């Protein structure tokens, strides 16, 4: 495996990204590391982060919970479905 900014990047993925874009290998490796890191976020971290972001945008919890559930369902790597109650518990503990 190749190495990006400290992470482990599959050589074939790195070669593909370099071939299919104008990115230099080091930058392509960093992009791959960032994407992998983004999608490696735990369910709890994702729910809490999105709750904070959506709350900062002025949305009410009722809308936030539904939006978070829909966003999680649309992520490339399927995670278990969470009910609004489970989302609320992840945000506030319990």
């Amino acid at each position: 495996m190749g190495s990006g900014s400290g992470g482990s990047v599959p050589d074939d993925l790195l070669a593909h990204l370099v071939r299919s874009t104008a990115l230099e290998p080091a930058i392509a490796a960093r992009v791959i590391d960032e994407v992998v890191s983004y999608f490696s976020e735990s369910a709890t971290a994702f729910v809490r982060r999105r709750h904070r972001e959506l709350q900062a945008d002025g949305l009410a919890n009722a809308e936030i919970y539904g939006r978070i559930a829909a966003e999680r369902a649309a992520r490339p790597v399927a995670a278990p479905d969470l009910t609004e109650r489970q989302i609320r518990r992840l945000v506030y503990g319990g």
Side-chain angles (χ1 to χ4, degrees), residues 27-70:
I27 294 171
R30 195 169 73 227
V31 168
I32 293 167
D33 282 343
E34 286 295 322
V35 170
V36 168
S37 176
Y38 178 83
F39 286 111
S40 296
E41 186 176 37
S42 73
T44 300
F46 173 80
V47 167
R48 288 179 178 164
R49 175 179 60 80
R50 286 302 290 146
H51 182 264
R52 281 190 311 272
E53 292 169 352
L54 295 170
Q55 204 171 41
D57 288 342
L59 276 67
N61 280 341
E63 185 176 355
I64 290 172
Y65 300 149
R67 187 174 295 189
I68 289 172

